Amino acid sequence: MYEFLTSPALYDFLKGPLVWISFIVFIGGSIFRITSLLSKLKNVKIIRTYMSLKYSLRSIIHWIIPFASTNMRKHPWFTVVAFLFHICLIVTPLVLLAHNKLWYESWQIRLWSIPEAVADAMTLTVIFCVIIFILRRIIAPEVRFVTFTSDFIILAIAAAPFVTGFLAYHQLFFDYKLMVALHILFGGIMLMAIPFTRLSHMLFFWLTRAYAGSDFGAVRHSRDY
Ligand code: HEM
Ligand code: HEM
């Protein structure tokens, strides 16, 4: 198994075709999920009549700014952890020097990178936040009640690229080649899981908020935040 995971042929496959497959499934799958939902909604007259740009934006803005909704103010610690988690999760891979070197090697695209110590801190923040999410799902009775095995799998999918990326960078345990191979594999799994699992909330969050915001604003004349 170890020989297989560190073989040059597997590494070439992971670094080449697997990265392509991951990005194609992520982007293609996301477009497919959004367009198929929108085409189903096209025929739902009640939604078409009361969707409002003003109330959609009002809701989205209140839900993407920390503490701008009542629910966030009621759970301040969870709000801080959830925002830190999402900011570091999305920003780190985009501004990571190791990733940007790969973009440059393949496409001569030069992207802006952050210092490696900052990337490390952001990586550890994601891992720390996932540990909090796991503990919350085990300890808090109101969350445990609605927690299934799939919730832990989703958290593992989100954490795995960060754990393996950190271990590869620091070469703490195991062989460097093995860790990079696992990292690319888990990075690809995470990207491909986004359109087809609960991680698709990244795509549908905006639509859900637009719908709830329009319903509350234009129909009930109240607020959803
Ligand atoms: C699928 C394509 C990907 C490739 C080819 C790739 C490649 C790499 C490489 C070569 C490293 C550096 C290891 C070293 O220092 O030598 C790295 C580090 C890292 N990657 Fe990726 N990666 C991918 C996807 C992802 C994804 C999807 C995420 C997170 C969402 C991610 C997060 C990280 C992090 C957090 C680190 C290390 C940060 C630290 O310095 O502590 N990567 N990646
Ligand atoms: C810009 C895009 C995104 C938005 C707007 C967003 C928004 C949200 C919101 C509102 C929640 C619920 C927090 C609560 O329970 O109050 C959430 C939870 C979560 N998000 Fe995202 N998200 C985004 C992208 C992502 C991505 C890319 C991932 C991972 C690949 C991710 C992973 C998670 C996880 C694991 C949780 C659940 C934590 C738990 O309770 O177990 N999110 N997100």
Side-chain angles (χ1 to χ4, degrees):
M1 186 67 180
Y2 178 80
E3 275 76 28
F4 172 68
L5 280 171
T6 51
S7 68
L10 180 73
Y11 186 69
D12 286 345
F13 169 74
L14 292 175
K15 228 184 144 185
L18 184 91
V19 176
W20 275 102
I21 295 169
S22 311
F23 275 93
I24 291 169
V25 171
F26 167 52
I27 297 168
S30 300
I31 293 172
F32 169 74
R33 293 291 318 271
I34 293 175
T35 49
S36 47
L37 178 70
L38 290 180
S39 77
K40 274 184 210 143
L41 294 179
K42 212 170 58 192
N43 302 320
V44 185
K45 201 171 161 215
I46 190 152
I47 293 184
R48 267 190 297 148
T49 44
Y50 70 62
M51 281 310 277
S52 136
L53 181 65
K54 176 180 145 195
Y55 292 121
S56 295
L57 290 176
R58 186 180 76 163
S59 174
I60 289 171
I61 288 167
H62 278 90
W63 283 92
I64 57 168
I65 296 176
F67 300 106
S69 76
T70 314
N71 196 43
M72 290 183 211
R73 288 193 291 272
K74 269 195 202 153
H75 305 102
W77 283 109
F78 182 72
T79 301
V80 170
V81 173
F83 272 91
L84 271 179
F85 167 76
H86 281 91
I87 292 167
C88 294
L89 178 109
I90 293 166
V91 174
T92 316
L94 298 176
V95 294
L96 190 71
L97 185 62
H99 286 179
N100 291 347
K101 275 187 191 155
L102 295 176
W103 285 112
Y104 187 73
E105 275 167 28
S106 308
W107 301 92
Q108 278 73 52
I109 300 174
R110 232 182 245 285
L111 297 168
W112 184 74
S113 302
I114 51 169
E116 296 193 326
V118 179
D120 248 10
M122 291 169 82
T123 302
L124 289 174
T125 303
V126 172
I127 298 170
F128 173 76
C129 292
V130 170
I131 294 170
I132 305 265
F133 288 147
I134 293 174
L135 292 176
R136 171 176 166 263
R137 290 203 165 268
I138 295 171
I139 296 165
E142 73 280 15
V143 191
R144 195 168 62 188
F145 177 63
V146 288
T147 293
F148 303 94
T149 313
S150 62
D151 295 300
F152 294 110
I153 296 174
I154 291 289
L155 287 170
I157 292 176
F162 290 86
V163 174
T164 49
F166 185 80
L167 292 179
Y169 176 67
H170 290 279
Q171 306 184 18
L172 288 176
F173 315 105
F174 312 109
D175 181 277
Y176 172 73
K177 267 167 109 189
L178 172 70
M179 260 318 141
V180 174
L182 287 176
H183 173 70
I184 301 174
L185 184 65
F186 287 134
I189 290 176
M190 180 184 130
L191 289 174
M192 291 188 281
I194 290 177
F196 305 108
T197 65
R198 251 192 38 211
L199 296 178
S200 60
H201 70 272
M202 173 182 168
L203 313 170
F204 298 131
F205 166 86
W206 317 96
L207 296 174
T208 318
R209 290 271 52 96
Y211 171 74
S214 299
D215 184 16
F216 275 76
V219 181
R220 302 176 201 210
H221 305 292
S222 63
R223 298 182 303 168
D224 65 319
Y225 50 87

